[in-house]
Every structure is written in C-alpha cells, then in structure tokens.
Amino acid sequence: MATTVLVGAQWGDEGKGKIIDVLTEQADVVVRYQGGNNAGHTVEVGNEKYILHLIPSGILYPGKLNVIGNGVVVDPIALLEEIDHLQSRGITVNGNLLVSNRAHLVLPYHRLLDSIREEQKGKRKIGTTKRGIGPAYADKVARTGLRVVDLLSPDKFSEKLRRKVRETNEIARTFGAKTLSFKAINDEYLAASKRLQRYIADTIKLLNRLEHDGKQILFEGAQGTHLDIDFGTYPFVTSSNTTAGGACAGTGIPPHRIDKVVGVMKAYTTRVGEGPFPTELLDDQGTMLRETGREFGATTGRPRRCGWFDAVATRYSVMVNGIDELAVTKTDVLDSLSKIKVCVAYRLDGKVTDSIPADVDAMLRCVPVYQEFDGWQTSTKEIREFDDLPKRARNYLKKIAQLSGAKLAIVSVGARRAETIFL
Ligand code: IMP
C-alpha cells in the first residue's frame, strides 16, 4: 500500500472513516495529522458502530499503531473520554496509541472563545463545532499556545494556563460571558496529564524511523479540502490544512516520502455549518438525500445540507491534493433516483467558469451548470464487483471520476466493511 495520505475531497463527512477502516488492513501505522475532536469518523464493524473524534480509526484493528501527530490540536479531556469509551467497549488502547509531544492543546478557554466569536458574528457565523478548534490554532500561530509537552512540566503548565485564563476572562467580561476558574481547570488538566503521560512521545522521530524501516503508514485526513484554511471557502472553513500537504507539516514525514494520495468523495455532496454550497438542494430531493443517507453530523448531530455532486469542487481537490485515486462513497444512497445531476461548471455573473472564486461572496453567487444522468433505480448494496453494477451506475461513477480528474479505485455501497468494491 505504501505511504498513503487519505483526504476528503468535498466539505468533510465524505465517509473517510469507512475507507480508512478498509485500507487499514494493509497498514502498520495510522496517523492523524490535523484538526481535533471537531472530526467525527464513523466506522461500522459487524453490528458495532464507532464514532472516533481524535483517535485514528486504526485503533479498531488489533496490532496497528495509532499516532496523533504534531499538527493535531488535542483536548486532553476529550481524548481521555474517547480512550475510556473505547476500552469500555472492549477495544485495546494500550501500547497502540501515541500522541505527539509537539501537538497543541485545546483548553476550556478555547471553547469559550469559539462560542463568543460565533455569537459576535451573528448572521455571518461559521457554524463551528464549538470544540475550540479555531482559537487553539490561533494560539499556535500567535505562539501563545500550550502543547502536550507542557503537560509533563506541571509548574510551567500552570503558569502559562494562569496567564491564558486571565486574558480570556478579560474578553469574557467584555462580552458579558461567564468567566473561567483557573483553579478548576488547572486541577482537572493536571489530573488528566497524569493519565496521558504514557501516551506522549516524540512521534516525529518515531514515524520517520518506521517509514525508513518500510512500515506502511496511512495518514488519516479529517474534514475536507473545501474546509482547508488555505484552499477552502474562507472564512467558512476550519482552521487547519485538511489537504495532503498537511500530512507532512502535521507529522514530520517529508513530502518526497509520500507515495500516494487517495481522495474520498460522496456520490453527491453534503456540508455542515454555514458557507457557500452551490449545488445545495433545498427541496424534497435534498430531504430525500438527508434521510436516505442518514446525513446528520457525527460530532454535533446537526442535519447536513445536501446537494448534487459538484465536479468543479472535486476537480480543484484533485489538483491541490495531487489525488491519485478516488474512493466514491454512498453510491447506494442514489439507488432510487430516476434522474441524477452533476455540476460541471459554475455560472457567475452571467459567465461560465470552472474556477472557484476566492471571494466568498462571489462563490455565494455561483449557480451550477448541470449535466443530467439517468438513474439506475435498483439496489447496489449487495454488489461486490464493479462490472456487476448496473450500466447506468458504472457510467455515473466513471463520469464523476473523469470530471474530477483521477482514477476511480474504490466504490462504497454501504457503511459496512464488506460493502466495498475495489477496481
Ligand atoms: P470548526 O472546525 O469547529 O472550527 O468548524 C469550522 C467549520 O468546519 C464548520 O462549518 C464545521 O461544521 C466544519 N467542520 C469541522 N469539522 C468537521 C467535520 O469533521 N466534518 C464536517 N464539517 C466539519
């Protein structure tokens, strides 16, 4: 399998958890490189359903090493809760999970600031997951963040924390929000740090050694390309590089050591939170996709906005990630439709374009130019070979891969491991 980066080619929730899970069989190591517990990767194993937020999906396979890289922002309490939850369901989290000592921490004041900022934005709110992700990355870039390594020096941790809580409380008072107690946070997080110590490591050195030893490493991207801080629909984005380049910055593995990039995309499009979504369906068809596809956020439970496949968006994703292979998920959700549309270009202020405008207000004005396909109107859930799919389904899948500009490699026809077609 070689060293593979897996990314979302749309606005997140592409079904990366399922594809990662399928690919993990051949991997030795699974690594998260960005984002935090804003992510929600759903994996179904047999009759069990798991939703992972911070821990790489490889944890569900015995014998795989799972690494939370330096580019991730880690909420220690959320991490411990996830460890406890997995253990309570019989999953081993012992010797198979490591957290980078250089990863930044998400602390309660980040969540408070996330809420205050969203409230202040009013109608222009981003619709964040309120997990404190943006403020944590802001602290990292402003060089005022606390890192996992600080958990190992309680005095230093407390001193930095005191300063940050004081600073945040001044902001909280300005906006009439509830202030935080330094002591309560300090006690809770120092206790958490004791439990977390066994997982903390210099993952940069370790990952490079494993890569040199020929181990198969799978980089698990979170969110999606159009939520990337640089390449997404800014400001309606998350605060990290969700794209393939993030895998290098977020783990310390150099770019020339990455062998392959796999892009995951749904056979249609969804988005959670605010921001432009040219192919969004606000009618019954959108409701049908939401209900058939069970499109509700894995982290927040929010209903996802649903729409047709947007090939302008995925073509851009193939370009910025260097996607070699595509995995198309949730094909079965389209099984009952008589007609299916694909956006092949945008019409912006009367002109047809295949570019994504940098200006978010221009993006909001983009109207999709559609190509229409006949649906296959038969169940694909039991099909395991590409050639056994209905001709119209094959045509549709080949067409969306061709429009996106990469090779179709995997087709998913259901949430379970077995419901997967390899080409
Ligand atoms: P944040 O990452 O919580 O700051 O949220 C910023 C934007 O990214 C919002 O529109 C969220 O809904 C979206 N977002 C964050 N994480 C995910 C995810 O895992 N899947 C889908 N959308 C996400």
Side-chain angles (χ1 to χ4, degrees):
M1 115 186 253
T3 300
T4 302
V5 180
L6 185 136
V7 293
Q10 294 160 323
W11 277 275
D13 306 317
E14 295 92 349
K16 294 180 294 294
K18 142 100 195 234
I19 304 298
I20 285 276
D21 180 59
V22 168
L23 296 180
T24 296
E25 200 167 0
Q26 300 151 44
D28 299 301
V29 189
V30 186
V31 193
R32 273 282 306 269
Y33 59 86
Q34 45 70 231
N37 62 327
N38 49 348
H41 293 168
T42 308
V43 184
E44 287 189 26
V45 185
N47 292 325
E48 296 290 317
K49 182 170 164 177
Y50 300 91
I51 299 177
L52 298 153
H53 299 286
L54 267 170
I55 299 179
S57 311
I59 203 80
L60 302 175
Y61 271 89
K64 312 285 178 186
L65 176 64
N66 297 277
V67 176
I68 298 178
N70 56 278
V72 177
V73 285
V74 180
D75 179 333
I77 302 296
L79 178 57
L80 285 173
E81 278 172 7
E82 204 167 319
I83 293 171
D84 290 343
H85 175 74
L86 287 171
Q87 282 177 332
S88 75
R89 294 179 66 182
I91 305 288
T92 307
V93 190
N94 187 7
N96 57 350
L97 175 68
L98 292 174
V99 184
S100 169
N101 52 7
R102 287 177 169 82
H104 275 251
L105 297 176
V106 182
L107 292 157
Y109 51 85
H110 293 126
R111 282 193 296 277
L112 177 62
L113 290 171
D114 202 350
S115 292
I116 292 175
R117 283 177 195 163
E118 280 285 271
E119 222 160 274
Q120 290 309 307
K121 284 199 173 93
K123 267 188 162 168
R124 294 289 279 186
K125 74 174 197 282
I126 294 165
T128 73
T129 60
K130 303 244 177 89
R131 298 294 188 272
I133 305 299
Y137 276 113
D139 272 355
K140 172 177 175 172
V141 177
R143 296 160 293 182
T144 58
L146 274 80
R147 298 188 299 166
V148 168
V149 68
D150 294 321
L151 292 172
L152 303 174
S153 310
D155 290 346
K156 218 156 64 179
F157 174 85
S158 301
E159 189 191 315
K160 287 185 183 175
L161 180 73
R162 188 187 292 279
R163 217 176 305 139
K164 293 300 294 184
V165 171
R166 195 186 304 135
E167 192 183 296
T168 310
N169 281 344
E170 277 174 30
I171 298 171
R173 276 189 281 271
T174 308
F175 292 104
K178 209 166 156 238
T179 54
L180 299 168
S181 150
F182 160 74
K183 188 177 179 308
I185 302 172
N186 193 48
D187 291 351
E188 186 181 15
Y189 283 75
L190 285 183
S193 79
K194 289 203 182 97
R195 286 193 59 205
L196 278 179
Q197 282 188 17
R198 55 199 290 225
Y199 303 103
I200 300 172
D202 180 349
T203 58
I204 297 170
K205 211 167 158 189
L206 174 79
L207 284 172
N208 274 283
R209 201 187 68 226
L210 292 170
E211 196 280 326
H212 276 276
D213 291 349
K215 298 289 182 208
Q216 308 292 298
I217 305 179
L218 184 56
F219 296 90
E220 177 175 354
Q223 292 86 41
T225 300
H226 295 276
L227 289 173
D228 183 285
I229 186 77
D230 284 285
F231 303 111
T233 45
Y234 191 91
F236 298 99
V237 293
T238 190
S239 297
S240 62
N241 282 118
T242 60
T243 41
C248 297
T251 63
I253 293 287
H256 68 284
R257 296 284 183 186
I258 306 285
D259 299 307
K260 188 157 80 175
V261 181
V262 176
V264 186
M265 54 194 207
K266 266 180 201 162
Y268 48 99
T269 313
T270 64
R271 172 166 205 168
V272 215
E274 307 303 318
F277 180 2
T279 62
E280 181 170 18
L281 290 166
L282 297 165
D283 55 10
D284 289 353
Q285 225 139 15
T287 309
M288 189 292 279
L289 288 175
R290 185 173 312 112
E291 280 166 9
T292 313
R294 289 179 287 150
E295 297 294 354
F296 297 90
T299 298
T300 58
R302 291 180 288 178
R304 293 179 185 143
R305 300 157 65 192
C306 297
W308 296 122
F309 187 86
D310 183 343
V312 180
T314 55
R315 197 153 54 227
Y316 182 81
S317 301
V318 167
M319 177 178 75
V320 298
N321 290 293
I323 292 173
D324 301 295
E325 293 184 354
L326 289 166
V328 179
T329 61
K330 294 198 152 184
T331 309
D332 55 300
V333 175
L334 304 181
D335 281 351
S336 67
L337 297 180
S338 57
K339 296 281 178 201
I340 305 168
K341 287 185 187 175
V342 170
C343 167
V344 292
Y346 297 150
R347 193 179 295 281
L348 173 61
D349 301 335
K351 286 201 184 108
V352 173
T353 173
D354 67 351
S355 300
I356 296 186
D359 176 6
V360 77
D361 291 320
M363 179 77 172
L364 285 164
R365 292 200 304 280
C366 283
V367 178
V369 176
Y370 284 121
Q371 194 173 329
E372 196 173 70
F373 293 81
D374 288 325
W376 44 93
Q377 295 190 284
T378 169
S379 174
T380 54
K381 272 188 98 66
E382 306 300 325
I383 296 174
R384 299 293 174 262
E385 294 291 332
F386 188 74
D387 290 339
D388 294 338
L389 283 169
K391 188 159 181 275
R392 287 173 175 176
R394 274 182 279 141
N395 283 348
Y396 178 77
L397 292 163
K398 279 187 201 159
K399 189 69 189 178
I400 60 174
Q402 186 210 338
L403 287 167
S404 306
K407 195 174 103 187
L408 182 63
I410 298 173
V411 175
S412 171
V413 290
R416 299 209 166 87
R417 276 179 187 167
E419 292 166 332
T420 312
I421 298 169
F422 294 92
L423 276 81

